[in-house]
Each structure stands twice: as C-alpha cells, then as structure tokens.
Amino acid sequence: MMQNVHLAPETDDDDLYSGYNDYNPIYDTEELENDTGFQQAVRTSHGRRPPSKTSLTSSMGRPMTGAIQDGVTRPMTAVRAAGFTKASLRGSAFDPLGQSRGPAPPLETKNEDSPEEKIRQLEKKVNELVEESCIANSCGDLKLALEKAKDAGRKERVLVRQREQVTTPENINLDLTYSVLFNLASQYSANEMYAEALNTYQVIVKNKMFSNAGRLKVNMGNIYLKQRNYSKAIKFYRMALDQIPSVHKEMRIKIMQNIGVTFIKTGQYSDAINSFEHIMSMAPNLKAGFNLILSYFAIGDREKMKKAFQKLIAVPLEIDEDDKYISPSDDPHTNLVIEAIKNDHLRQMERERKAMAEKYIMTAAKLIAPVIETSFAVGYDWCVEVVKASQYVELANDLEINKAITYLRQKDFNQAVDTLKMFEKKDSRVKSAAATNLSFLYYLENDFAQASSYADLAVNSDRYNPSALTNKGNTVFANGDYEKAAEFYKEALRNDSSCTEALYNIGLTYKKLNRLDEALDCFLKLHAILRNSAQVLYQIANVYELMEDPNQAIEWLMQLISVVPTDSKALSKLGELYDSEGDKSQAFQYYYESYRCFPSNIEVIEWLGAYYIDTQFCEKAIQYFERASLIQPTQVKWQLMVASCFRRSGNYQKALDTYKDIHRKFPENVECLRFLVRLCTDIGLKEVQEYATKLKRLEKMKEIREQRIKSGRDGSGGSRGRREGSAGSDSGQNSSASSKGERLNAKLRALPGTNEPYESSSNKEIDASYVDPLGPQIERPKTAAKKRIDEDDFADEELGDDLLPE
C-alpha cells in the first residue's frame, strides 16, 4: 500500500494554489481491481470486521456525522433527513431512501363489484347516451336520437335508485338528472310527440330542486304554438317572462317577440303592436320591425306604417364595411390576411345578415307602397326617398325596378317600359338589370328587334349577366339562327351554371337542329336540377318519341302525369302512344281521362267516338259526336255522324229526324239528301220524291261547278264547294289526311260504309280551338328576367321564423 503514498516535496515557495490539481490515486475506483491490497481485504475477514464500538469523535469533541451514539444514528444535517427515525436500532445501516425495505407492494386493484364503482360506471354510461342522442339529432336522425334519450332516461332512474341505497339523497347528481330530462323533452318535441314533450317539461318545471327551470316554459309555449293553441302559448310565454330576471335582456326580448307573433296569429294586432313597439324601443331588430309593419298594415294605419318603415331602415346591421376587405397596400402579409378573411364564416354571416335586411326592406316596401299614398307609384317614390337617405342606398334602384314589375302585374306595360328606360344612364349593374327586363318585355310582345337591342345593351353593360345572354339567345333563336343561339346559351351557362333557362333553351335548340342525343343530355341534366318540372319531363318524353323509342316516351309521360295528373295534353299523348303500340284498352283509358279533364278537345272526342263505333257501341258514340257538334256547330260532319250512329243502332226514326234537322240547317249538303232519300224509300214516306228532286238539282249544280273548276273560268266555285262541309268534295284530301287515322282501325274513314264518303272526313277540317298550356309554350325558349327582382316574398311566411330556438 505504501507504494501508492506520495509525500509532498519540501519547497520554500509558498504557493497558495500548489497541489490543487494533484491527483491522488487512492480515490481512483477504476483501478481497484488492480489494487492487490484492496482485493486481499475483500477476500479475507479483514474487510468484514464489525465496526468499532467506540464512537468516533471529531476534533471538536462532538460525534461525527453518521456516527452511532446511544443507539441512535446522528442525522447528517441539522434537519431530520429522509430515512432517519428515532426508533432506529443500534447498528442499523444508513439508508435514507429506504432501499433496504425492498420494492414497493403492487397497487391495490379496483373492486369492480363495489357499489361505488358500479355507480361511477353507470353515470359515465348515462352521459355517453346523452351525448350520442345530441349527435344523432344534429345529424338529422331524430328517431335514433329519441331512442338514445329514452335509454339514458331508463339508466338514470336505475342510477338514482342505486345512489339512494348507498348514499344519502343529498348526494344525487341533480345536474345529470336535469340533462337527461331536458334532452328527452327536446327529442320528443323534435319527433312531434308534443304530449310526451309537455309531460317531460312539466316534470322539470315542477321540481323545485332544479334551479332556473322556469325558463323552459318558453319551449312549452313553442310547442303550444305549433299545436295552434295560442292562448296557452301566450300564457306560458308570460310565465317564462316573469321568471327571467331583468338582467337577461336578450332572452326577455326574444320571449316578447314570440308573444307578439302569437298575437298576430290570433288577430290581436293591438297587443302585437304593443309588444313589437316595446322591442323596437329597447333593442330594435329586423324581425320585430318587419312584424310591426305587418301589424300596422293589418289595421290600416298609414302614418304608423311610415314610421315603422323608418324604424326598420334605422336598425343597425352591426357589420363591417366592404372596404375592410380591400387591400390598402401591396404588403404581401396584409394581402394574405385579407384573402383569408374575405370568405370566412364571419364574412358569410355578415352577407346573410345584409341579405336578410334587404329582403325585409324590399318586402315591406312592396307591401306598404300601394296603401300609404293615393297611388302605389307615389308610395313607391316615398319609400325610395326614405331608402336613399339611409344606409341602404343601393336598394333604391331595386325599388324602382320593383315599381316597374308592379306595373307589369297591373298590365300597364307602357308605364313599366317608361320606368325601366330611366335606368339607361345609371351604373352598369342597374342598367344591365333594367335592359334585361326591357328585352324580356319586348320579347313577350314579339318585338324581336327591340328585344335584341336591349339584350345587346344588357350584355354590353354586364358581360357576365346570364339573363341578358339568355334573352339575346332567344332573339337569335326567334330569327332561326339556332347555332348562334346555342353559343349565347352556352356562354350564359359558363357564367352561371345554375341558369336553368339557358340549359332548357339549349335543349330546344338541339332539338330544332335534330341533334336529339345532345338535346336529351341537356334535358336529363335539367331534370336532375328541377326534379318535378312538367315542361322538362314533357321534353324528355318528346325527344324519346322523336328517337322512335315509345317505351321510354311512355315511361317519362307517366312521370309527367304523376306531377300534373289533370294535364289533358299529356294524357292524350299517352293514349296516342299506346294506340300506336296497339294497346287499345290503355289508349282508351288515357283518352277518356283526357276527355274528362278537358271535354273540348276535338281530336280526343273524335278518337273516343270512333273507338265506340269500332267496338259496336254506337249509342255511346252519339254523346261524343253531339259534343263535337256543340263545339263546332258549323261543321256538318259531326251531325251527320250522330245521324249515322242512330241509323246503325237501328233507331231509324231518330236518324230520320236528325237528317231532316241537318237538311234544314245545311240545305245544300248532298250526303244528307242522299240518306234522306234512302231512309224515306225504306220506310215508305211520301217525302221521298221531294228529297230526290232536291238531290238531282244539287248534283247537277255540283257537276256544273266542277266543270267550271276544270275550265278555270270560276276558281271560287270550288272553294265554296269545299266550304260547304261536304266530305264528297274533299275526297281528294281524305286520301292524304287519312294517314293520321291509320293508327286506329275504327277511325271515321271506316264507319258506316265505303259508299258514304261523308264519314271519311278529313282531319284537316277539324278546327281544334283548344290550346293546352304545355303546347306552344313548351317549344318557346324561356325568357329570363332578373331573378332577384322577380321573386315574390310573401310577408306572412316570415312570422313562423320568430320562435325562440330550443
């Protein structure tokens, strides 16, 4: 061991820092394995000798730190350290961290069978069910939401019973019970189970342990309002109003608004006015101002309507100006921020609020303008002046355009045109809207030159106006330039893909160009947008008919009559298609339905009469031909058909009387005289000679007339003969017209006999005066006025939206 001991050298230099960096190898623990003395001590009992019983003392006479004295280990510091206890035994080793005690025992496992743990788990499950119910309601699955709410209610009752058994009633979780009951009542109300919802709300309201439960009477009042029990609704609203402190001003205003709406529903306008006037004096808002105008309108108070309109105009919107979203500099960071907030949720909410305010103001102006002054024009002028002096200056032009629309509804087209022409010098947006409506008006009047001129003006003012482009395409379409019209319609669709008029007109254009596949694509796209449009369904069926696919045409016509079940034109078209397919029974069904809806369609009447003759029910055919003779009293063929049906059914006397009546009305009709001669001969009447003489004279006159026609000396004679209604003179036309009747074997050309030419009457003589709404209007392109000024906003629809959300 001595070889590792180094003595300090004797030096005369008194260096304070000498030996500071010297290294003593005794403290080198890494070399202990090579230290033979240390290893010898470890292997022998020398290293395991017990400590000396003599206490070690310091040079100052006090025990050393960690030394044992009187059986107690002295602490290492003045403060008792971790691991030191007075009860330490003599000779115990110093162990401040308690490592000699071994590892800590494992944590005690929870006893899942304990009542407290069961209550905790059940409470967690109830909360989860309430959350799932709310999520299902927000997703629109009301049935699932109600089931979850009921399940939560059942488990909450079990939870309450278990808590009562384990703890005192004061420890019951009232907040959880309130949440479960309130959610259950809300789900009952959402599923329109109003009786159950009211019972659940009553349980909450009557429980004095629930704080602030009285405000739920608002929801009970809402339910009574939905049930049209207005007296109870007002009662509960007032009870809720009494229980809500005055510091909750917004809630009280909403309840008073509901009270006012309920008074309007009951016709108690004076009470409604009191509620809305209080709201407008305390916290004015758009809905209350609009409803106040409605109430004054109902009682006819002109001056109060004006004041209420001014109050509505003065309601602050509380939105930022549009200048906020315009970049003031070229700073890229500022531009990025503005771009981010330009269309965020807050900006969208501001747009919606502004649009709602404009809607209320426009509707109120349209409502009161005709009644606040001597004429609606003066009333509109007053509203325009009020609007110009407010924050809604841009609405003044829209009101002027609405004034023109009102003139249109009153059929005063000149005043409408004059009003719209005043906007020719306005800014581009207003000029484009006015020119679009002027083009629309002139197009309806078939003044295509003026319509084209104003359509050009509208397009030049606003190239991205789809309505203007559509009207321009219509004027080109009317001139027959279908390719160019299609280009305008396509451009309108590029600017606004939701412009249904342009898409419809493209389909018509392609149909005119015989590009049926493209036309069908357009109408099918339009059908995806307008699911129940009768015109679109008719066009699809018509295109399939042109493509010679009658089955598809029939299927789309069936959809059409499901939308408009009383459209006689669609029903007759179905009958025609079934007739062409050879299904006479189905054809008869739809022709008969068409006749029942509109009993004045000559073609339908003719088909039904021919059908009954073909099926040997001549008596039933008589009523149809009699109706045809009433519709066209100057057409002799219908009366001849009535007489023919009498004769074929064996009623010769009635047939003779009918022929005589026809002869009195049409004394120059040859066919009538021929049958009079035949019938008188068969019956043996004396008048046969008289009728035979008249017949010979008429036949001779007919021969002379035909000779004149052949010689060309008197061209008018033939035309007069054709106007007589004689089918004999029209026999040449019948061969060409009879092709239309080939789809029905029982057509008139196959009636009593081939030697009776009057019964093969030409279809060209039918003067069908009926024009079905789906007829010519379907083939005409749709005009487009500005949608935002053509829409009718009915004031009554706004009343139901004032209910307080639950």
Side-chain angles (χ1 to χ4, degrees):
M1 296 292 290
M2 296 302 294
Q3 66 267 22
N4 294 326
V5 177
H6 301 279
L7 297 177
E10 296 181 358
T11 178
D12 295 335
D13 298 333
D14 190 7
D15 187 3
L16 294 177
Y17 298 101
S18 61
Y20 183 81
N21 292 326
D22 293 342
Y23 174 73
N24 192 344
I26 294 177
Y27 302 107
D28 188 1
T29 59
E30 295 181 359
E31 297 295 330
L32 290 178
E33 294 181 0
N34 300 325
D35 192 340
T36 57
F38 179 78
Q39 294 296 331
Q40 181 66 26
V42 170
R43 287 192 295 269
T44 63
S45 63
H46 178 76
R48 296 191 291 273
R49 286 180 296 179
S52 175
K53 296 182 180 180
T54 61
S55 60
L56 301 177
T57 59
S58 65
S59 60
M60 298 298 294
R62 61 184 178 88
M64 297 180 62
T65 302
I68 301 173
Q69 187 175 13
D70 297 332
V72 178
T73 306
R74 181 181 182 274
M76 297 185 69
T77 62
V79 180
R80 188 182 302 278
F84 174 74
T85 60
K86 291 182 179 180
S88 298
L89 298 174
R90 178 181 294 273
S92 62
F94 176 68
D95 188 11
L97 300 180
Q99 295 178 355
S100 62
R101 294 195 298 268
L107 298 175
E108 294 183 4
T109 58
K110 291 183 178 180
N111 187 5
E112 296 183 357
D113 295 333
S114 64
E116 292 81 3
E117 185 63 25
K118 287 183 178 180
I119 289 174
R120 244 189 324 269
Q121 293 297 326
L122 189 56
E123 186 174 337
K124 181 180 178 182
K125 182 62 177 177
V126 171
N127 279 313
E128 290 176 354
L129 286 171
V130 172
E131 291 178 2
E132 291 173 3
S133 174
C134 296
I135 293 172
N137 181 281
S138 64
C139 295
D141 194 347
L142 303 180
K143 185 177 180 181
L144 178 62
L146 180 59
E147 291 176 358
K148 295 286 185 182
K150 288 180 177 179
D151 196 10
R154 287 190 292 268
K155 284 184 168 52
E156 195 273 336
R157 287 192 292 272
V158 174
L159 174 63
V160 170
R161 287 195 294 269
Q162 290 186 2
R163 278 190 180 278
E164 290 175 349
Q165 295 174 1
V166 175
T167 61
T168 58
E170 291 78 9
N171 294 329
I172 295 175
N173 192 346
L174 290 177
D175 292 338
L176 181 61
T177 305
Y178 181 88
S179 301
V180 170
L181 290 174
F182 178 67
N183 179 61
L184 181 60
S186 299
Q187 303 308 332
Y188 275 134
S189 179
N191 285 271
E192 298 183 358
M193 300 172 67
Y194 298 130
E196 292 83 354
L198 289 172
N199 291 335
T200 310
Y201 278 128
Q202 284 286 0
V203 172
I204 301 175
V205 170
K206 289 183 177 180
N207 194 333
K208 301 300 181 182
M209 300 177 68
F210 295 139
S211 60
N212 299 324
R215 65 181 59 192
L216 291 182
K217 292 180 180 178
V218 176
N219 292 356
M220 299 175 71
N222 290 343
I223 293 176
Y224 282 121
L225 185 63
K226 291 177 183 177
Q227 293 179 330
R228 301 180 183 275
N229 192 343
Y230 301 123
S231 59
K232 279 197 173 183
I234 294 173
K235 174 184 175 182
F236 275 89
Y237 285 145
R238 285 177 169 169
M239 290 169 64
L241 194 64
D242 293 338
Q243 296 185 16
I244 293 178
S246 58
V247 293
H248 298 160
K249 294 181 180 180
E250 187 176 354
M251 177 69 74
R252 292 178 64 86
I253 289 297
K254 288 184 177 180
I255 295 175
M256 291 193 68
Q257 198 157 305
N258 286 4
I259 293 173
V261 171
T262 311
F263 277 130
I264 289 179
K265 294 281 189 181
T266 58
Q268 302 177 40
Y269 300 110
S270 299
D271 295 327
I273 288 170
N274 293 333
S275 297
F276 292 129
E277 281 184 341
H278 177 75
I279 294 171
M280 294 302 289
S281 63
M282 297 295 295
N285 62 76
L286 294 169
K287 288 186 178 180
F290 180 74
N291 288 336
L292 182 59
I293 293 174
L294 290 182
S295 302
Y296 283 133
F297 178 81
I299 64 176
D301 194 332
R302 295 184 178 183
E303 293 302 322
K304 292 290 183 66
M305 275 188 273
K306 290 183 178 181
K307 291 181 180 179
F309 186 75
Q310 291 172 339
K311 288 182 181 179
L312 178 64
I313 291 286
V315 172
L317 280 180
E318 299 178 355
I319 62 176
D320 293 326
E321 298 294 333
D322 293 337
D323 297 340
K324 175 184 176 181
Y325 302 98
I326 299 176
S327 177
S329 63
D330 295 333
D331 183 16
H333 178 70
T334 305
N335 293 338
L336 285 174
V337 172
I338 292 175
E339 191 66 28
I341 66 174
K342 188 177 293 185
N343 198 32
D344 60 355
H345 291 296
L346 179 60
R347 177 61 172 162
Q348 292 175 7
M349 187 184 71
E350 290 177 347
R351 287 201 191 104
E352 291 174 1
R353 184 174 178 81
K354 186 176 181 181
M356 183 178 67
E358 293 178 354
K359 179 181 178 181
Y360 282 143
I361 293 170
M362 293 291 292
T363 306
K366 288 190 289 185
L367 179 69
I368 68 173
V371 297
I372 58 176
E373 298 292 348
T374 55
S375 66
F376 89 92
V378 180
Y380 262 111
D381 292 339
W382 181 88
C383 293
V384 169
E385 293 301 323
V386 173
V387 171
K388 284 182 179 179
S390 69
Q391 56 183 328
Y392 304 98
V393 181
E394 65 275 6
L395 287 183
N397 292 325
D398 292 342
L399 278 175
E400 290 281 2
I401 294 179
N402 251 304
K403 181 180 176 181
I405 301 300
T406 309
Y407 277 126
L408 284 179
R409 293 195 178 97
Q410 294 181 354
K411 309 299 182 184
D412 193 346
F413 296 103
N414 295 328
Q415 287 288 347
V417 171
D418 293 341
T419 305
L420 291 171
K421 284 183 177 179
M422 292 190 304
F423 294 95
E424 293 184 8
K425 296 182 180 180
K426 298 284 185 178
D427 60 86
S428 59
R429 183 187 68 86
V430 181
K431 184 193 298 183
S432 178
T436 300
N437 286 280
L438 284 169
S439 174
F440 163 77
L441 287 175
Y442 283 119
Y443 184 86
L444 293 180
E445 293 178 352
N446 292 327
D447 189 348
F448 299 126
Q450 288 280 8
S452 179
S453 174
Y454 279 103
D456 290 333
L457 178 61
V459 171
N460 294 333
S461 301
D462 184 4
R463 186 68 189 179
Y464 300 101
N465 185 349
S467 300
L469 291 166
T470 301
N471 288 349
K472 179 61 180 176
N474 290 350
T475 59
V476 177
F477 184 96
N479 293 328
D481 192 351
Y482 303 122
E483 293 287 355
K484 191 175 181 181
E487 292 301 321
F488 281 108
Y489 297 143
K490 289 177 182 177
E491 187 176 354
L493 279 175
R494 284 193 293 268
N495 294 334
D496 183 7
S497 59
S498 63
C499 184
T500 55
E501 295 89 353
L503 186 57
Y504 183 89
N505 293 348
I506 287 179
L508 289 184
T509 306
Y510 285 146
K511 199 166 74 166
K512 288 286 187 181
L513 295 171
N514 202 29
R515 294 155 63 176
L516 300 180
D517 291 331
E518 296 176 65
L520 183 61
D521 289 340
C522 291
F523 290 126
L524 289 174
K525 289 178 183 177
L526 196 57
H527 175 64
I529 302 172
L530 307 174
R531 302 296 299 180
N532 295 323
S533 173
Q535 290 184 330
V536 175
L537 292 170
Y538 177 85
Q539 290 295 342
I540 295 173
N542 184 245
V543 171
Y544 274 120
E545 184 183 5
L546 295 175
M547 295 171 70
E548 298 181 355
D549 190 349
N551 293 327
Q552 283 290 337
I554 289 172
E555 181 179 342
W556 285 97
L557 283 174
M558 293 293 289
Q559 294 187 39
L560 173 60
I561 63 172
S562 68
V563 176
V564 280
T566 59
D567 190 288
S568 61
K569 186 66 178 289
L571 291 167
S572 63
K573 176 60 71 173
L574 263 174
E576 180 182 340
L577 289 173
Y578 274 117
D579 187 19
S580 63
E581 291 294 297
D583 192 343
K584 295 294 188 295
S585 61
Q586 286 286 356
F588 170 75
Q589 176 185 347
Y590 287 108
Y591 271 120
Y592 181 77
E593 286 296 319
S594 175
Y595 172 79
R596 194 171 58 85
C597 295
F598 186 76
S600 299
N601 192 333
I602 292 294
E603 292 183 357
V604 174
I605 291 172
E606 182 182 7
W607 192 95
L608 289 171
Y611 174 82
Y612 279 119
I613 290 176
D614 187 50
T615 54
Q616 306 299 321
F617 289 100
C618 299
E619 297 87 351
K620 291 186 177 181
I622 292 173
Q623 60 175 329
Y624 294 102
F625 292 127
E626 285 179 342
R627 179 169 289 276
S629 65
L630 291 174
I631 297 171
Q632 296 180 345
T634 59
Q635 293 288 336
V636 67
K637 63 179 180 179
W638 305 122
Q639 301 180 44
L640 289 172
M641 286 304 306
V642 173
S644 176
C645 290
F646 280 126
R647 183 175 57 81
R648 289 172 64 87
S649 61
N651 194 344
Y652 295 108
Q653 185 60 44
K654 191 69 176 177
L656 181 62
D657 294 339
T658 305
Y659 280 126
K660 287 181 178 180
D661 186 57
I662 296 171
H663 179 65
R664 283 194 298 272
K665 295 177 181 178
F666 304 95
E668 295 185 358
N669 187 270
V670 177
E671 286 78 11
C672 180
L673 284 172
R674 286 176 181 170
F675 278 101
L676 279 173
V677 172
R678 183 183 302 178
L679 282 175
C680 290
T681 303
D682 294 340
I683 299 176
L685 298 178
K686 297 180 180 180
E687 296 94 334
V688 63
Q689 188 61 39
E690 178 186 354
Y691 293 131
T693 305
K694 291 181 180 180
L695 178 61
K696 289 180 181 180
R697 185 170 63 251
L698 283 175
E699 289 178 345
K700 186 175 182 180
M701 291 174 62
K702 183 179 178 182
E703 290 176 1
I704 295 172
R705 192 178 297 118
E706 289 176 352
Q707 290 176 0
R708 288 178 180 176
I709 293 173
K710 290 180 181 179
S711 62
R713 289 193 301 268
D714 190 5
S716 62
S719 63
R720 285 197 303 270
R722 283 191 296 272
R723 285 197 299 269
E724 288 178 353
S726 171
S729 61
D730 294 336
S731 58
Q733 297 177 0
N734 292 336
S735 60
S736 62
S738 62
S739 59
K740 183 178 179 180
E742 289 179 357
R743 66 177 181 270
L744 180 63
N745 293 331
K747 218 52 175 163
L748 297 182
R749 60 183 176 79
L751 294 182
T754 56
N755 59 345
E756 299 170 3
Y758 73 88
E759 297 192 11
S760 59
S761 59
S762 170
N763 288 325
K764 293 181 181 179
E765 293 181 359
I766 297 176
D767 182 19
S769 58
Y770 166 66
V771 179
D772 193 270
L774 284 178
Q777 291 184 4
I778 285 176
E779 298 298 331
R780 186 170 185 173
K782 289 187 177 181
T783 54
K786 277 307 243 188
K787 291 181 181 177
R788 72 181 164 78
I789 61 174
D790 254 348
E791 292 175 349
D792 291 327
D793 298 318
F794 295 98
D796 292 339
E797 295 179 355
E798 301 299 331
L799 298 179
D801 296 333
D802 288 349
L803 299 180
L804 179 66
E806 298 179 9

